């Protein structure tokens, strides 16, 4: 029996010739990631692993991004804990607010820290983002992070897989976000629980790297352990451009086993919106449009990249945000922020009545920088619409692409970008 | 080991945002977080939970974030065990790693009602609803996870294998 792409990466990292779904393995890690919420807990657990030093100071990435710039005194203390640990342990990849920082899952690919074939864990559920680069990467908790930092290893149950065959080409206003929301709507929030989502098919060539990051990022919202894309020319070019290490290209065996196969035709997709309070509650824009909103957020590890800001700017340019809407735009990294400045996007946003923030996860998880009051509704490009996620438990979150979010900001209600740009 | 407690019952897809809302995650102090545990799904939980009590829920318990604060705040609140039809992957891992007992048992998750007295024998996986007299059998853990649980969590386990 053959192996999936994920299984091949795991086998190599466990120094085994083959692994099978369900098998428990101890794997060597290429990178261990933490943020300002999960790292302080890991720092507390670290001494229990009886090591004075981390396993490799170059293979740990610490990113203060959730409640930064520090939102309150306690958040500042958590960042200080993380910063002190980074200094004591001489961590190479500690990122500082304003200098080289950003939202972790936009930042790490941008800095070339992850390459194809890597095995990565991160104490953040959206660590699965790097599957876009042909890496195995998955979210874990703080104790796992501490163990990873101390020993360079962790345990995994080898996942079974769902094969997602992507065909066709995207219509004008359709993006990776629409594909992944559509997929989660099809299989549910636990449809890929414990499994890997392995994307394949000719249509992948029609997905940009940013589309793929968005799709892999939300694999967790279907319960998946990871989402992974084949390494093609676009991926290799991205890795080269960002100075990543030499890639190790793994491909699924022809006789690899899949629990199920799903085909998605990009040309049949419509802009898609996930209604409260689960990412699986999806509707097409045609069913969703017309719902009055109070806030829009464009940003996050899911959709805060330059192409996300570009399409939002294209829609917003020369128009005004509806008077009753607060539109918050958050470039995901310092580099993206600067590029958006140079390209004039930030001016476009500001002139239209948007507020542009420094990079932060802030509102996505109800931290700060755009909390919702009771009864308020937001269209956001983030990844979760659980009860109370962005504020009051009686607020509502509608997940959508940057194009739908931008169009909705202009119209003041959930809107089809096609109609706003007519 | 055997435990007994009263049941707090919830539905499917109880996510980590309702288990411990992120607005409280500006501290790693699990005792403090326990005071806000389950707040967005059951505001009365933190003030009414007693040491040894049990959470029973449906499918995909603990979905969402990787925050270990979720199982840790449940443990710090005094909960002795979480029984669910299924658990989300990261929550499952985190619970084992920090030593919060969890059991997968769809039949028990379906039949046990809020407020029932329930006993659990972790050695056999036997769950008894003392209120109704019904008996259930939880899925046994694979041997590796039994070792992890016996060791008392990941840090202690890693020492046993090195």
């Amino acid at each position: 029996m053959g192996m999936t792409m994920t299984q091949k990466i795991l086998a190599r990292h466990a120094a085994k010739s083959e692994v099978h779904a369900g098998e428990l393995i101890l794997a060597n890690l290429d990178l261990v990631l933490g943020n300002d919420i999960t790292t302080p807990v890991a720092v507390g657990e670290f001494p229990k692993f009886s090591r004075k030093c981390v396993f490799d100071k170059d293979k740990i990435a610490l990113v203060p991004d959730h409640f930064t710039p520090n939102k309150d005194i306690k958040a500042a203390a958590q960042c200080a804990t993380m910063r002190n640990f980074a200094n004591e342990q001489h961590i190479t990849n500690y990122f500082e607010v304003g200098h080289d920082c950003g939202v972790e899952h936009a930042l790490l690919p941008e800095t070339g820290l992850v390459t194809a074939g890597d095995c990565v864990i991160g104490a953040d559920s959206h660590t699965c983002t790097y599957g876009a680069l042909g890496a195995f990467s998955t979210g874990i908790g703080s104790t796992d992070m501490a163990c990873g930092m101390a020993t360079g290893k962790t345990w995994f149950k080898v996942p079974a897989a769902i094969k997602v065959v992507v065909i066709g080409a995207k219509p004008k206003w359709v993006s990776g976000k629409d594909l992944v929301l559509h997929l989660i709507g099809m299989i549910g929030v636990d449809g890929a629980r414990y499994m890997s989502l392995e994307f394949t098919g000719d249509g992948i060539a029609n997905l940009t790297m940013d589309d793929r990051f968005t799709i892999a990022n939300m694999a967790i919202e279907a319960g998946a352990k990871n989402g992974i894309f084949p390494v093609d020319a676009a991926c290799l070019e991205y890795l080269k451009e960002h100075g990543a290490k030499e890639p190790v290209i793994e491909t699924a065996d022809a006789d690899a086993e899949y629990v199920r196969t799903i085909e998605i035709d990009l040309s049949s997709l419509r802009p898609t919106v996930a209604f409260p309070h689960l990412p699986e509650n999806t509707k097409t824009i045609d069913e969703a449009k017309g719902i009055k909103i109070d806030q829009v957020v464009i940003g996050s590890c899911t959709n805060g990249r330059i192409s996300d800001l570009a399409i939002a700017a294209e829609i917003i340019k020369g128009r005004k945000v509806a008077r009753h809407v607060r539109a918050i735009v958050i470039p995901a990294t310092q580099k993206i922020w600067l590029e958006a400045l140079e390209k004039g996007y930030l001016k476009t946003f500001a002139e239209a009545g948007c507020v542009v923030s420094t990079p932060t996860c802030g509102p996505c998880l109800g931290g700060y920088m755009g909390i919702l009051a009771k009864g308020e509704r937001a269209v956001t490009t983030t990844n979760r619409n659980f009860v109370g996620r962005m504020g009051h438990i009686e607020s509502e979150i509608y997940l959508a692409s940057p194009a739908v979010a931008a169009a909705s900001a202009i119209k003041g209600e959930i809107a089809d970008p096609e109609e706003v740009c007519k | 080991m055997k435990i007994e407690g009263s049941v707090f019952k919830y539905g499917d897809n109880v996510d980590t945002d309702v288990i411990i809302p992120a607005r409280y995650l500006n501290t790693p102090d699990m005792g403090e977080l326990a005071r806000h545990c389950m707040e967005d799904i059951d505001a009365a939980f933190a003030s009414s939970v007693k040491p040894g009590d049990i959470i029973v829920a449906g499918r995909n318990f603990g979905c969402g974030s990787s925050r270990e604060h979720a199982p840790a705040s449940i443990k710090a609140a005094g909960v002795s065990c979480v029984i669910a039809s299924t658990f989300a992957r990261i929550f499952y891992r985190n619970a084992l790693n920090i030593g919060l007992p969890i059991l997968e048992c769809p039949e028990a998750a379906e039949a046990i009602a809020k407020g029932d007295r329930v006993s659990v024998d972790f050695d056999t996986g036997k769950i008894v609803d003392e209120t109704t007299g019904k008996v259930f059998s939880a899925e046994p853990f694979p041997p590796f996870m039994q070792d992890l649980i016996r060791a008392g969590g990941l840090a202690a386990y890693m020492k046993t294998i090195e």
Side-chain angles (χ1 to χ4, degrees), chain A residues 50 72 74 78 138-139 142-144 155 190 193-194 389, chain B residues 17 22 25-26 32 59 64 68 87 89 92-94 97 159:
Chain A
S50 309
D72 56 32
K74 285 176 164 180
Q78 295 206 121
T138 193
S142 297
T143 298
D144 274 317
W155 62 274
D190 64 350
R193 205 173 55 94
Y194 282 92
R389 170 81 177 175
Chain B
D17 280 294
L25 298 186
N26 54 4
E32 191 180 327
R59 280 166 45 205
E68 199 165 288
F87 289 90
R89 191 199 131 248
Y92 184 94
R93 244 188 119 91
N94 285 344
N97 284 344
K159 281 178 196 156

PDB file of all heavy atoms in Angstrom, chain A residues 50 72 74 78 138-139 142-144 155 190 193-194 389, chain B residues 17 22 25-26 32 59 64 68 87 89 92-94 97 159:
ATOM      1  N   SER A  50      13.540  18.977  31.661  1.00  0.00           N
ATOM      2  CA  SER A  50      14.915  18.775  32.152  1.00  0.00           C
ATOM      3  C   SER A  50      15.997  19.130  31.148  1.00  0.00           C
ATOM      4  O   SER A  50      16.979  18.402  30.991  1.00  0.00           O
ATOM      5  CB  SER A  50      15.114  17.311  32.602  1.00  0.00           C
ATOM      6  OG  SER A  50      14.105  16.940  33.477  1.00  0.00           O
ATOM      7  N   ASP A  72      -2.785  45.441  26.886  1.00  0.00           N
ATOM      8  CA  ASP A  72      -2.966  45.817  28.290  1.00  0.00           C
ATOM      9  C   ASP A  72      -1.746  45.336  29.091  1.00  0.00           C
ATOM     10  O   ASP A  72      -0.828  44.742  28.519  1.00  0.00           O
ATOM     11  CB  ASP A  72      -4.289  45.271  28.868  1.00  0.00           C
ATOM     12  CG  ASP A  72      -4.413  43.757  28.719  1.00  0.00           C
ATOM     13  OD1 ASP A  72      -3.376  43.068  28.762  1.00  0.00           O
ATOM     14  OD2 ASP A  72      -5.540  43.264  28.560  1.00  0.00           O
ATOM     15  N   LYS A  74      -1.352  42.994  31.342  1.00  0.00           N
ATOM     16  CA  LYS A  74      -1.139  41.542  31.392  1.00  0.00           C
ATOM     17  C   LYS A  74      -0.588  41.017  30.065  1.00  0.00           C
ATOM     18  O   LYS A  74       0.282  40.137  30.041  1.00  0.00           O
ATOM     19  CB  LYS A  74      -2.444  40.828  31.729  1.00  0.00           C
ATOM     20  CG  LYS A  74      -2.847  40.940  33.186  1.00  0.00           C
ATOM     21  CD  LYS A  74      -4.201  40.281  33.341  1.00  0.00           C
ATOM     22  CE  LYS A  74      -4.536  39.990  34.779  1.00  0.00           C
ATOM     23  NZ  LYS A  74      -5.867  39.351  34.848  1.00  0.00           N
ATOM     24  N   GLN A  78       2.960  39.029  29.285  1.00  0.00           N
ATOM     25  CA  GLN A  78       3.121  37.782  28.529  1.00  0.00           C
ATOM     26  C   GLN A  78       4.185  37.944  27.439  1.00  0.00           C
ATOM     27  O   GLN A  78       5.001  37.042  27.215  1.00  0.00           O
ATOM     28  CB  GLN A  78       1.789  37.352  27.904  1.00  0.00           C
ATOM     29  CG  GLN A  78       0.745  36.985  28.942  1.00  0.00           C
ATOM     30  CD  GLN A  78      -0.290  35.993  28.421  1.00  0.00           C
ATOM     31  OE1 GLN A  78      -0.434  34.918  28.966  1.00  0.00           O
ATOM     32  NE2 GLN A  78      -0.998  36.344  27.368  1.00  0.00           N
ATOM     33  N   THR A 138       1.333  21.445  11.595  1.00  0.00           N
ATOM     34  CA  THR A 138       0.090  21.266  12.346  1.00  0.00           C
ATOM     35  C   THR A 138       0.131  22.012  13.673  1.00  0.00           C
ATOM     36  O   THR A 138       1.202  22.277  14.215  1.00  0.00           O
ATOM     37  CB  THR A 138      -0.165  19.755  12.563  1.00  0.00           C
ATOM     38  OG1 THR A 138      -1.509  19.576  13.025  1.00  0.00           O
ATOM     39  CG2 THR A 138       0.789  19.154  13.575  1.00  0.00           C
ATOM     40  N   GLY A 139      -1.062  22.341  14.151  1.00  0.00           N
ATOM     41  CA  GLY A 139      -1.187  23.041  15.423  1.00  0.00           C
ATOM     42  C   GLY A 139      -1.138  22.070  16.583  1.00  0.00           C
ATOM     43  O   GLY A 139      -1.646  20.952  16.489  1.00  0.00           O
ATOM     44  N   SER A 142       0.638  24.133  24.161  1.00  0.00           N
ATOM     45  CA  SER A 142       1.856  24.694  24.757  1.00  0.00           C
ATOM     46  C   SER A 142       2.786  23.626  25.322  1.00  0.00           C
ATOM     47  O   SER A 142       4.007  23.778  25.254  1.00  0.00           O
ATOM     48  CB  SER A 142       1.485  25.683  25.857  1.00  0.00           C
ATOM     49  OG  SER A 142       0.772  26.767  25.305  1.00  0.00           O
ATOM     50  N   THR A 143       2.231  22.545  25.886  1.00  0.00           N
ATOM     51  CA  THR A 143       3.093  21.483  26.425  1.00  0.00           C
ATOM     52  C   THR A 143       3.849  20.804  25.287  1.00  0.00           C
ATOM     53  O   THR A 143       5.039  20.510  25.406  1.00  0.00           O
ATOM     54  CB  THR A 143       2.262  20.465  27.239  1.00  0.00           C
ATOM     55  OG1 THR A 143       1.673  21.156  28.341  1.00  0.00           O
ATOM     56  CG2 THR A 143       3.123  19.326  27.768  1.00  0.00           C
ATOM     57  N   ASP A 144       3.155  20.574  24.169  1.00  0.00           N
ATOM     58  CA  ASP A 144       3.819  20.027  22.987  1.00  0.00           C
ATOM     59  C   ASP A 144       4.899  20.985  22.495  1.00  0.00           C
ATOM     60  O   ASP A 144       5.968  20.566  22.046  1.00  0.00           O
ATOM     61  CB  ASP A 144       2.813  19.820  21.849  1.00  0.00           C
ATOM     62  CG  ASP A 144       2.118  18.469  21.932  1.00  0.00           C
ATOM     63  OD1 ASP A 144       2.803  17.473  22.212  1.00  0.00           O
ATOM     64  OD2 ASP A 144       0.906  18.420  21.701  1.00  0.00           O
ATOM     65  N   TRP A 155       5.276  13.502  19.267  1.00  0.00           N
ATOM     66  CA  TRP A 155       4.561  12.295  18.822  1.00  0.00           C
ATOM     67  C   TRP A 155       3.408  12.693  17.894  1.00  0.00           C
ATOM     68  O   TRP A 155       2.789  13.733  18.059  1.00  0.00           O
ATOM     69  CB  TRP A 155       4.039  11.476  20.011  1.00  0.00           C
ATOM     70  CG  TRP A 155       3.039  12.167  20.904  1.00  0.00           C
ATOM     71  CD1 TRP A 155       3.317  12.989  21.962  1.00  0.00           C
ATOM     72  CD2 TRP A 155       1.608  12.104  20.823  1.00  0.00           C
ATOM     73  NE1 TRP A 155       2.154  13.445  22.540  1.00  0.00           N
ATOM     74  CE2 TRP A 155       1.089  12.912  21.865  1.00  0.00           C
ATOM     75  CE3 TRP A 155       0.705  11.439  19.983  1.00  0.00           C
ATOM     76  CZ2 TRP A 155      -0.279  13.069  22.093  1.00  0.00           C
ATOM     77  CZ3 TRP A 155      -0.664  11.603  20.206  1.00  0.00           C
ATOM     78  CH2 TRP A 155      -1.136  12.406  21.248  1.00  0.00           C
ATOM     79  N   ASP A 190     -16.189  18.940  11.407  1.00  0.00           N
ATOM     80  CA  ASP A 190     -15.383  17.782  11.813  1.00  0.00           C
ATOM     81  C   ASP A 190     -15.266  16.774  10.669  1.00  0.00           C
ATOM     82  O   ASP A 190     -14.913  15.613  10.886  1.00  0.00           O
ATOM     83  CB  ASP A 190     -15.924  17.124  13.095  1.00  0.00           C
ATOM     84  CG  ASP A 190     -17.319  16.540  12.914  1.00  0.00           C
ATOM     85  OD1 ASP A 190     -17.949  16.808  11.868  1.00  0.00           O
ATOM     86  OD2 ASP A 190     -17.776  15.824  13.822  1.00  0.00           O
ATOM     87  N   ARG A 193     -11.764  15.474  10.585  1.00  0.00           N
ATOM     88  CA  ARG A 193     -11.180  15.353  11.923  1.00  0.00           C
ATOM     89  C   ARG A 193     -10.073  14.296  11.944  1.00  0.00           C
ATOM     90  O   ARG A 193     -10.272  13.177  11.507  1.00  0.00           O
ATOM     91  CB  ARG A 193     -12.288  14.984  12.914  1.00  0.00           C
ATOM     92  CG  ARG A 193     -12.018  15.389  14.358  1.00  0.00           C
ATOM     93  CD  ARG A 193     -13.257  15.116  15.200  1.00  0.00           C
ATOM     94  NE  ARG A 193     -13.652  13.739  15.050  1.00  0.00           N
ATOM     95  CZ  ARG A 193     -13.282  12.758  15.872  1.00  0.00           C
ATOM     96  NH1 ARG A 193     -12.525  13.009  16.917  1.00  0.00           N
ATOM     97  NH2 ARG A 193     -13.676  11.530  15.652  1.00  0.00           N
ATOM     98  N   TYR A 194      -8.930  14.672  12.443  1.00  0.00           N
ATOM     99  CA  TYR A 194      -7.738  13.817  12.538  1.00  0.00           C
ATOM    100  C   TYR A 194      -7.073  13.496  11.201  1.00  0.00           C
ATOM    101  O   TYR A 194      -6.047  12.846  11.152  1.00  0.00           O
ATOM    102  CB  TYR A 194      -8.052  12.480  13.249  1.00  0.00           C
ATOM    103  CG  TYR A 194      -8.143  12.640  14.728  1.00  0.00           C
ATOM    104  CD1 TYR A 194      -9.350  12.906  15.339  1.00  0.00           C
ATOM    105  CD2 TYR A 194      -7.000  12.579  15.514  1.00  0.00           C
ATOM    106  CE1 TYR A 194      -9.426  13.097  16.700  1.00  0.00           C
ATOM    107  CE2 TYR A 194      -7.076  12.770  16.880  1.00  0.00           C
ATOM    108  CZ  TYR A 194      -8.295  13.022  17.469  1.00  0.00           C
ATOM    109  OH  TYR A 194      -8.362  13.218  18.812  1.00  0.00           O
ATOM    110  N   ARG A 389     -16.717  34.900  19.485  1.00  0.00           N
ATOM    111  CA  ARG A 389     -15.335  34.913  18.992  1.00  0.00           C
ATOM    112  C   ARG A 389     -14.763  36.332  18.879  1.00  0.00           C
ATOM    113  O   ARG A 389     -13.602  36.567  19.169  1.00  0.00           O
ATOM    114  CB  ARG A 389     -15.287  34.211  17.621  1.00  0.00           C
ATOM    115  CG  ARG A 389     -13.978  34.339  16.856  1.00  0.00           C
ATOM    116  CD  ARG A 389     -12.926  33.362  17.325  1.00  0.00           C
ATOM    117  NE  ARG A 389     -11.724  33.469  16.515  1.00  0.00           N
ATOM    118  CZ  ARG A 389     -10.605  32.793  16.754  1.00  0.00           C
ATOM    119  NH1 ARG A 389     -10.520  31.958  17.757  1.00  0.00           N
ATOM    120  NH2 ARG A 389      -9.554  32.933  15.995  1.00  0.00           N
TER     121      ARG A 389
ATOM    122  N   ASP B  17     -13.301  28.721  22.038  1.00  0.00           N
ATOM    123  CA  ASP B  17     -13.653  30.108  22.341  1.00  0.00           C
ATOM    124  C   ASP B  17     -14.720  30.204  23.422  1.00  0.00           C
ATOM    125  O   ASP B  17     -14.727  31.145  24.201  1.00  0.00           O
ATOM    126  CB  ASP B  17     -14.131  30.836  21.072  1.00  0.00           C
ATOM    127  CG  ASP B  17     -12.976  31.290  20.212  1.00  0.00           C
ATOM    128  OD1 ASP B  17     -12.216  32.163  20.661  1.00  0.00           O
ATOM    129  OD2 ASP B  17     -12.821  30.768  19.101  1.00  0.00           O
ATOM    130  N   ALA B  22     -10.985  34.159  24.429  1.00  0.00           N
ATOM    131  CA  ALA B  22      -9.647  34.731  24.244  1.00  0.00           C
ATOM    132  C   ALA B  22      -9.463  36.040  25.002  1.00  0.00           C
ATOM    133  O   ALA B  22      -8.338  36.407  25.329  1.00  0.00           O
ATOM    134  CB  ALA B  22      -9.365  34.932  22.760  1.00  0.00           C
ATOM    135  N   LEU B  25      -7.256  35.542  27.805  1.00  0.00           N
ATOM    136  CA  LEU B  25      -5.979  34.847  27.608  1.00  0.00           C
ATOM    137  C   LEU B  25      -4.762  35.760  27.733  1.00  0.00           C
ATOM    138  O   LEU B  25      -3.712  35.475  27.180  1.00  0.00           O
ATOM    139  CB  LEU B  25      -5.957  34.128  26.250  1.00  0.00           C
ATOM    140  CG  LEU B  25      -7.015  33.030  26.065  1.00  0.00           C
ATOM    141  CD1 LEU B  25      -6.802  32.300  24.744  1.00  0.00           C
ATOM    142  CD2 LEU B  25      -6.998  32.031  27.216  1.00  0.00           C
ATOM    143  N   ASN B  26      -4.925  36.856  28.462  1.00  0.00           N
ATOM    144  CA  ASN B  26      -3.756  37.695  28.722  1.00  0.00           C
ATOM    145  C   ASN B  26      -3.055  37.260  30.007  1.00  0.00           C
ATOM    146  O   ASN B  26      -2.215  37.973  30.538  1.00  0.00           O
ATOM    147  CB  ASN B  26      -4.130  39.184  28.757  1.00  0.00           C
ATOM    148  CG  ASN B  26      -5.246  39.466  29.735  1.00  0.00           C
ATOM    149  OD1 ASN B  26      -5.700  38.586  30.455  1.00  0.00           O
ATOM    150  ND2 ASN B  26      -5.691  40.709  29.760  1.00  0.00           N
ATOM    151  N   GLU B  32      -6.852  31.415  37.589  1.00  0.00           N
ATOM    152  CA  GLU B  32      -7.629  32.612  37.248  1.00  0.00           C
ATOM    153  C   GLU B  32      -8.551  32.316  36.057  1.00  0.00           C
ATOM    154  O   GLU B  32      -9.709  32.723  36.041  1.00  0.00           O
ATOM    155  CB  GLU B  32      -6.638  33.740  36.908  1.00  0.00           C
ATOM    156  CG  GLU B  32      -7.287  35.102  36.799  1.00  0.00           C
ATOM    157  CD  GLU B  32      -6.266  36.198  36.472  1.00  0.00           C
ATOM    158  OE1 GLU B  32      -5.107  36.095  36.906  1.00  0.00           O
ATOM    159  OE2 GLU B  32      -6.668  37.135  35.753  1.00  0.00           O
ATOM    160  N   ARG B  59     -20.402  15.766  19.669  1.00  0.00           N
ATOM    161  CA  ARG B  59     -19.304  15.572  18.726  1.00  0.00           C
ATOM    162  C   ARG B  59     -18.323  16.739  18.731  1.00  0.00           C
ATOM    163  O   ARG B  59     -18.711  17.879  18.940  1.00  0.00           O
ATOM    164  CB  ARG B  59     -19.878  15.449  17.306  1.00  0.00           C
ATOM    165  CG  ARG B  59     -20.449  14.078  16.978  1.00  0.00           C
ATOM    166  CD  ARG B  59     -21.284  14.149  15.708  1.00  0.00           C
ATOM    167  NE  ARG B  59     -20.619  14.914  14.666  1.00  0.00           N
ATOM    168  CZ  ARG B  59     -21.255  15.533  13.674  1.00  0.00           C
ATOM    169  NH1 ARG B  59     -22.558  15.482  13.582  1.00  0.00           N
ATOM    170  NH2 ARG B  59     -20.575  16.199  12.766  1.00  0.00           N
ATOM    171  N   GLY B  64     -11.482  24.178  17.290  1.00  0.00           N
ATOM    172  CA  GLY B  64     -11.014  25.560  17.185  1.00  0.00           C
ATOM    173  C   GLY B  64      -9.557  25.693  17.532  1.00  0.00           C
ATOM    174  O   GLY B  64      -8.718  24.945  17.030  1.00  0.00           O
ATOM    175  N   GLU B  68      -4.066  25.570  24.986  1.00  0.00           N
ATOM    176  CA  GLU B  68      -4.042  24.559  26.037  1.00  0.00           C
ATOM    177  C   GLU B  68      -4.801  25.069  27.266  1.00  0.00           C
ATOM    178  O   GLU B  68      -5.170  24.308  28.148  1.00  0.00           O
ATOM    179  CB  GLU B  68      -2.570  24.296  26.393  1.00  0.00           C
ATOM    180  CG  GLU B  68      -2.321  23.013  27.112  1.00  0.00           C
ATOM    181  CD  GLU B  68      -0.830  22.689  27.072  1.00  0.00           C
ATOM    182  OE1 GLU B  68      -0.325  22.324  25.993  1.00  0.00           O
ATOM    183  OE2 GLU B  68      -0.174  22.824  28.115  1.00  0.00           O
ATOM    184  N   PHE B  87     -13.701  14.011  20.158  1.00  0.00           N
ATOM    185  CA  PHE B  87     -12.953  15.220  20.517  1.00  0.00           C
ATOM    186  C   PHE B  87     -12.249  15.772  19.289  1.00  0.00           C
ATOM    187  O   PHE B  87     -11.803  15.010  18.421  1.00  0.00           O
ATOM    188  CB  PHE B  87     -11.896  14.910  21.579  1.00  0.00           C
ATOM    189  CG  PHE B  87     -12.473  14.607  22.929  1.00  0.00           C
ATOM    190  CD1 PHE B  87     -12.797  13.304  23.284  1.00  0.00           C
ATOM    191  CD2 PHE B  87     -12.727  15.626  23.834  1.00  0.00           C
ATOM    192  CE1 PHE B  87     -13.351  13.016  24.528  1.00  0.00           C
ATOM    193  CE2 PHE B  87     -13.278  15.349  25.076  1.00  0.00           C
ATOM    194  CZ  PHE B  87     -13.591  14.036  25.428  1.00  0.00           C
ATOM    195  N   ARG B  89      -9.045  17.232  17.454  1.00  0.00           N
ATOM    196  CA  ARG B  89      -7.699  16.684  17.532  1.00  0.00           C
ATOM    197  C   ARG B  89      -6.766  17.396  18.528  1.00  0.00           C
ATOM    198  O   ARG B  89      -6.140  16.774  19.373  1.00  0.00           O
ATOM    199  CB  ARG B  89      -7.102  16.774  16.123  1.00  0.00           C
ATOM    200  CG  ARG B  89      -5.861  16.061  15.916  1.00  0.00           C
ATOM    201  CD  ARG B  89      -5.125  16.576  14.692  1.00  0.00           C
ATOM    202  NE  ARG B  89      -3.792  16.784  15.156  1.00  0.00           N
ATOM    203  CZ  ARG B  89      -3.213  17.952  15.277  1.00  0.00           C
ATOM    204  NH1 ARG B  89      -3.820  19.034  14.894  1.00  0.00           N
ATOM    205  NH2 ARG B  89      -2.013  18.051  15.760  1.00  0.00           N
ATOM    206  N   TYR B  92      -7.781  16.966  22.173  1.00  0.00           N
ATOM    207  CA  TYR B  92      -7.508  15.591  22.596  1.00  0.00           C
ATOM    208  C   TYR B  92      -6.050  15.456  23.046  1.00  0.00           C
ATOM    209  O   TYR B  92      -5.742  14.981  24.134  1.00  0.00           O
ATOM    210  CB  TYR B  92      -7.795  14.672  21.413  1.00  0.00           C
ATOM    211  CG  TYR B  92      -7.666  13.178  21.651  1.00  0.00           C
ATOM    212  CD1 TYR B  92      -8.773  12.411  21.990  1.00  0.00           C
ATOM    213  CD2 TYR B  92      -6.441  12.527  21.494  1.00  0.00           C
ATOM    214  CE1 TYR B  92      -8.670  11.037  22.180  1.00  0.00           C
ATOM    215  CE2 TYR B  92      -6.329  11.157  21.676  1.00  0.00           C
ATOM    216  CZ  TYR B  92      -7.444  10.418  22.020  1.00  0.00           C
ATOM    217  OH  TYR B  92      -7.331   9.062  22.193  1.00  0.00           O
ATOM    218  N   ARG B  93      -5.155  15.914  22.186  1.00  0.00           N
ATOM    219  CA  ARG B  93      -3.713  15.906  22.476  1.00  0.00           C
ATOM    220  C   ARG B  93      -3.383  16.692  23.727  1.00  0.00           C
ATOM    221  O   ARG B  93      -2.651  16.231  24.594  1.00  0.00           O
ATOM    222  CB  ARG B  93      -3.037  16.650  21.332  1.00  0.00           C
ATOM    223  CG  ARG B  93      -2.144  15.993  20.469  1.00  0.00           C
ATOM    224  CD  ARG B  93      -1.435  16.904  19.530  1.00  0.00           C
ATOM    225  NE  ARG B  93      -0.036  16.764  19.811  1.00  0.00           N
ATOM    226  CZ  ARG B  93       0.774  15.895  19.219  1.00  0.00           C
ATOM    227  NH1 ARG B  93       0.333  15.136  18.252  1.00  0.00           N
ATOM    228  NH2 ARG B  93       2.022  15.803  19.554  1.00  0.00           N
ATOM    229  N   ASN B  94      -3.923  17.905  23.787  1.00  0.00           N
ATOM    230  CA  ASN B  94      -3.627  18.773  24.924  1.00  0.00           C
ATOM    231  C   ASN B  94      -4.109  18.163  26.232  1.00  0.00           C
ATOM    232  O   ASN B  94      -3.422  18.237  27.253  1.00  0.00           O
ATOM    233  CB  ASN B  94      -4.288  20.144  24.735  1.00  0.00           C
ATOM    234  CG  ASN B  94      -3.563  21.005  23.716  1.00  0.00           C
ATOM    235  OD1 ASN B  94      -2.416  20.731  23.363  1.00  0.00           O
ATOM    236  ND2 ASN B  94      -4.224  22.045  23.242  1.00  0.00           N
ATOM    237  N   ASN B  97      -1.763  15.462  27.213  1.00  0.00           N
ATOM    238  CA  ASN B  97      -0.459  16.037  27.591  1.00  0.00           C
ATOM    239  C   ASN B  97      -0.460  16.667  28.976  1.00  0.00           C
ATOM    240  O   ASN B  97       0.549  16.670  29.665  1.00  0.00           O
ATOM    241  CB  ASN B  97      -0.012  17.079  26.567  1.00  0.00           C
ATOM    242  CG  ASN B  97       0.518  16.452  25.285  1.00  0.00           C
ATOM    243  OD1 ASN B  97       0.833  15.274  25.244  1.00  0.00           O
ATOM    244  ND2 ASN B  97       0.615  17.238  24.229  1.00  0.00           N
ATOM    245  N   LYS B 159      10.548  11.515  29.757  1.00  0.00           N
ATOM    246  CA  LYS B 159      11.667  11.029  30.582  1.00  0.00           C
ATOM    247  C   LYS B 159      11.729   9.502  30.575  1.00  0.00           C
ATOM    248  O   LYS B 159      12.802   8.920  30.629  1.00  0.00           O
ATOM    249  CB  LYS B 159      11.525  11.532  32.022  1.00  0.00           C
ATOM    250  CG  LYS B 159      11.974  12.976  32.152  1.00  0.00           C
ATOM    251  CD  LYS B 159      11.797  13.492  33.562  1.00  0.00           C
ATOM    252  CE  LYS B 159      11.879  15.002  33.537  1.00  0.00           C
ATOM    253  NZ  LYS B 159      11.196  15.623  34.660  1.00  0.00           N
TER     254      LYS B 159
END
